[in-house]
Amino acid sequence: MLNPSTLKPLSSEDAKLVRDTFRDAEYTESRLRERSGLLVPPPAELTPGGVVEAFQDSDSAFDCLAQLFFLGREIDVVAARKVLPKGLIDCFLRSGVIAERYQSLTPKVLLVPVEDVWLASDLQVLRDHSHKDYVPTVCDAALHLASVAVRQPTKRMLDLCCGFSLHGVLASRHAESVITSDLNPRAAAFARFNAALNECQDFTTVTGDVFSAVKGKKFDLILSNPPFIISPEAVTTYRFAPYELDGFVEQMFRQAPDYLQHGGIFQAVCEWVEIAGVDWQQRLQTWFEGRGCDVWVLTANRQLPSTYAANTLRQSDTDADQLPDMIANWEQYFSKQKVNAIHGGFIFLRRRDGDNWFDVSQLTKPIRSQIGDAIVRGLDNRDLLYGRYADQDILNSRLAVTRGIRIVEDSIYNGIRWESETMTLHVDCGIPVSIGIDKYVRNLIARYDGQRIVSDCLADFANHVGLPMDTGVAQGLEITKAMIRTGVLGIVKENLENRILASRVGLTGTPSQNSFSN
């Protein structure tokens, strides 16, 4: 049975006591992962025995906190009072995060560390997942969105479909004001609690469907982890999309531009379908036509309907005996709807006047760090790549190799010297990719030092490899564009606008400096 919402926001003094206790006990992401191998709390019904045993030391404040608020298990009150600071348990009782009965402390919520904050949510209990008012704990999708979220200083931020407001709380570090919105009133209670716990300023919670609670407002940054799972039931919960197929996220994206300031960014993690006989990229593009936004789709996976059904249903409380019939029902539904596959990933919008672009790229490696700055660079790079005068603008720009690039080379000794067999370029800081390259690509990349314009670097490259100038520049330019798109090369912004302006003047017939001069 889902617990009624009895959470009370902490006073400033109590919030400080909780934060100080968590820090002193090292109740952190890194230590939880080190001890259990997990960052996401496991369902109570499916917690592996080894994970339970990992937190059995009742003499440790860390273990007491982990058992209560990560695993959601009751602990002995006497043992807890011995290791936890004076007044903490009474603070927890007052706020409604635990209950005391029969000499035991029973958690009413989870309190999970993410980065440098702690966030309350409902207990991770499978039987509660289908309840319309359930507020889930942190999950992989939410962490993935946090990893790509833009973290630059901003005025007004919206956490849409916020749940317990992970993204709103994290954004409060760099946003002047934060609004969190969710259809579920219980989510607002958790968001207010989490804002108080983490000392968030100018933090407002509202309740409504999609954008209905923020009509007339515009934002510089919107983050959303909406209900996106596609199923035959189409039930309205935190997890399952309430419309047919991907209709809910389509509606959300069609409305989003109206709520973005000029230059504002919308970032969402979601899923969408691939319909038989329909180009899925063109289908997505129609959602944004004429809406005044650049669109970057970053795909992470593509699943066949049978695989998608099995993976999704195994994460629910479906009875094992019923699972085959449920999977068959989902497969029949997808077949009837002519769904070939389900894609998952991120979709980023940025409000901008002028000729807007639409780009799709593939995420090929897991994201291991926060890369919000790389997302901003990726948007800027695509402005250069897809502008009206793209090639000329690139030729008149200055580029530099992005920080954190590695080249790993496998060589074989031929009896006289070492010869390179394979060469792989790895992007470690930013959107992680691995690209097979050769010595010519390496040679070209090395020329981008941020000092010379691209046309000069390409001319130097053509001379070095012994290609005719026109051929070397043309081939080098295509390689350069690919490296910009993958984030290997980035724009040096100083004087970029002047160089672009100069190139456009030249294109209109006014004399300009030769692109290939020194």
Side-chain angles (χ1 to χ4, degrees):
M1 179 72 69
L2 188 66
N3 289 323
S5 179
T6 57
L7 274 183
K8 298 176 183 177
L10 296 164
S11 67
S12 176
E13 183 180 352
D14 283 349
K16 184 178 185 304
L17 173 61
V18 173
R19 292 195 306 273
D20 288 347
T21 300
F22 286 170
R23 290 192 189 103
D24 291 344
E26 295 185 82
Y27 181 57
T28 61
E29 269 188 315
S30 58
R31 195 170 179 199
L32 282 172
R33 173 175 249 173
E34 177 186 338
R35 185 72 71 87
S36 68
L38 302 174
L39 279 180
V40 175
E45 300 92 334
L46 302 176
T47 304
V51 172
V52 176
E53 292 174 5
F55 301 107
Q56 289 279 336
D57 182 5
S58 60
D59 293 332
S60 158
F62 169 79
D63 286 274
C64 282
L65 296 171
Q67 288 186 66
L68 276 173
F69 298 127
F70 188 72
L71 299 184
R73 299 172 66 86
E74 67 177 28
I75 62 174
D76 179 74
V77 65
V78 175
R81 288 190 182 277
K82 287 181 179 178
V83 297
L84 296 177
K86 183 179 179 180
L88 182 70
I89 292 175
D90 292 334
C91 162
F92 284 153
L93 290 169
R94 285 195 302 272
S95 63
V97 301
I98 62 172
E100 183 177 0
R101 57 173 73 109
Y102 308 120
Q103 295 298 305
S104 294
L105 297 178
T106 303
K108 307 293 285 184
V109 303
L110 297 184
L111 272 168
V112 179
V114 177
E115 298 185 22
D116 62 344
V117 302
W118 293 270
L119 298 151
S121 67
D122 273 322
L123 298 171
Q124 177 73 303
V125 179
L126 287 178
R127 66 176 180 272
D128 291 340
H129 281 192
S130 59
H131 195 288
K132 66 182 180 66
D133 292 332
Y134 182 69
V135 179
T137 187
V138 64
C139 63
D140 289 336
L143 292 176
H144 292 157
L145 181 59
S147 70
V148 300
V150 172
R151 298 276 179 91
Q152 296 181 343
T154 191
K155 288 186 177 180
R156 181 185 283 179
M157 180 269 180
L158 172 65
D159 185 356
L160 185 67
C161 305
C162 66
F164 60 82
S165 200
L166 162 67
H167 307 296
V169 170
L170 290 175
S172 69
R173 269 65 176 148
H174 60 83
E176 293 179 14
S177 71
V178 171
I179 297 178
T180 71
S181 177
D182 199 285
L183 181 65
N184 181 0
R186 291 183 81 252
F190 279 104
R192 285 191 292 270
F193 179 90
N194 291 329
L197 171 59
N198 294 286
E199 278 193 310
C200 300
Q201 305 298 317
D202 200 352
F203 193 99
T204 305
T205 63
V206 295
T207 302
D209 186 23
V210 197
F211 289 99
S212 63
V214 292
K215 282 188 176 180
K217 292 183 171 62
K218 291 185 182 291
F219 299 88
D220 304 287
L221 176 65
I222 303 175
L223 298 176
S224 183
N225 175 19
F228 56 70
I229 289 179
I230 300 161
S231 75
E233 288 80 11
V235 291
T236 305
T237 73
Y238 77 95
R239 194 159 173 254
F240 291 91
Y243 297 171
E244 198 77 78
L245 297 180
D246 51 18
F248 181 77
V249 294
E250 177 184 354
Q251 179 203 38
M252 179 182 71
F253 282 121
R254 287 185 182 276
Q255 294 180 33
D258 294 333
Y259 295 88
L260 287 174
Q261 296 279 15
H262 177 75
I265 295 173
F266 181 99
Q267 297 181 276
V269 56
C270 59
E271 292 176 341
W272 58 92
V273 296
E274 177 184 323
I275 304 294
V278 179
D279 184 310
W280 69 263
Q281 295 188 25
Q282 291 180 3
R283 178 174 176 268
L284 255 61
Q285 194 165 0
T286 63
W287 296 0
F288 309 104
E289 288 175 348
R291 304 296 287 129
C293 285
D294 301 313
V295 182
W296 182 7
V297 181
L298 185 56
T299 65
N301 57 68
R302 177 183 184 272
Q303 298 183 71
L304 297 177
S306 57
T307 305
Y308 182 83
N311 289 342
T312 305
L313 287 167
R314 287 194 181 105
Q315 297 173 32
S316 68
D317 61 346
T318 303
D319 187 279
D321 294 335
Q322 297 177 348
L323 190 59
D325 290 339
M326 291 285 288
I327 293 174
N329 180 43
W330 281 41
E331 289 186 55
Q332 184 178 15
Y333 168 73
F334 287 129
S335 177
K336 185 178 179 180
Q337 296 286 344
K338 299 182 180 179
V339 174
N340 274 357
I342 297 92
H343 295 259
F346 307 102
I347 299 181
F348 308 139
L349 314 184
R350 185 188 53 186
R351 185 91 187 190
R352 184 177 64 86
D353 295 334
D355 297 329
N356 296 119
W357 48 259
F358 179 92
D359 183 62
V360 177
S361 49
Q362 176 72 44
L363 185 65
T364 58
K365 296 174 67 176
I367 300 171
R368 302 298 188 192
S369 59
Q370 213 289 324
I371 61 168
D373 288 346
I375 299 302
V376 174
R377 290 196 302 271
L379 292 169
D380 291 341
N381 284 353
R382 282 159 177 77
D383 287 343
L384 183 63
L385 286 170
Y386 302 126
R388 181 175 298 181
Y389 308 108
D391 285 0
Q392 194 65 30
D393 287 346
I394 293 170
L395 290 170
N396 284 278
S397 299
R398 289 182 293 132
L399 302 176
V401 177
T402 303
R403 181 176 57 88
I405 303 297
R406 292 182 298 121
I407 293 178
V408 178
E409 184 175 354
D410 289 326
S411 301
I412 188 169
Y413 190 67
N414 65 6
I416 301 175
R417 62 179 179 272
W418 291 97
E419 289 187 348
S420 175
E421 277 201 323
T422 62
M423 208 179 296
T424 306
L425 186 151
H426 300 276
V427 179
D428 294 330
C429 297
I431 299 174
V433 294
S434 296
I435 309 165
I437 63 171
D438 58 24
K439 62 182 180 181
Y440 297 103
V441 175
R442 181 173 66 178
N443 183 294
L444 174 59
I445 294 171
R447 279 166 164 67
Y448 291 117
D449 56 5
Q451 301 301 312
R452 295 179 295 171
I453 63 174
V454 169
S455 58
D456 290 343
C457 295
L458 293 179
D460 187 24
F461 168 74
N463 284 326
H464 183 83
V465 298
L467 288 172
M469 184 61 66
D470 288 348
T471 302
V473 169
Q475 292 183 1
L477 180 59
E478 291 308 307
I479 295 169
T480 299
K481 288 193 282 188
M483 295 298 108
I484 295 172
R485 192 165 180 266
T486 56
V488 173
L489 296 174
I491 306 164
V492 177
K493 285 194 169 184
E494 292 179 23
N495 299 323
L496 173 60
E497 293 80 4
N498 291 336
R499 291 187 182 278
I500 290 175
L501 179 60
S503 74
R504 292 176 185 173
V505 171
L507 287 173
T508 59
T510 304
S512 63
Q513 184 182 18
N514 188 318
S515 295
F516 303 108
S517 64
N518 290 323

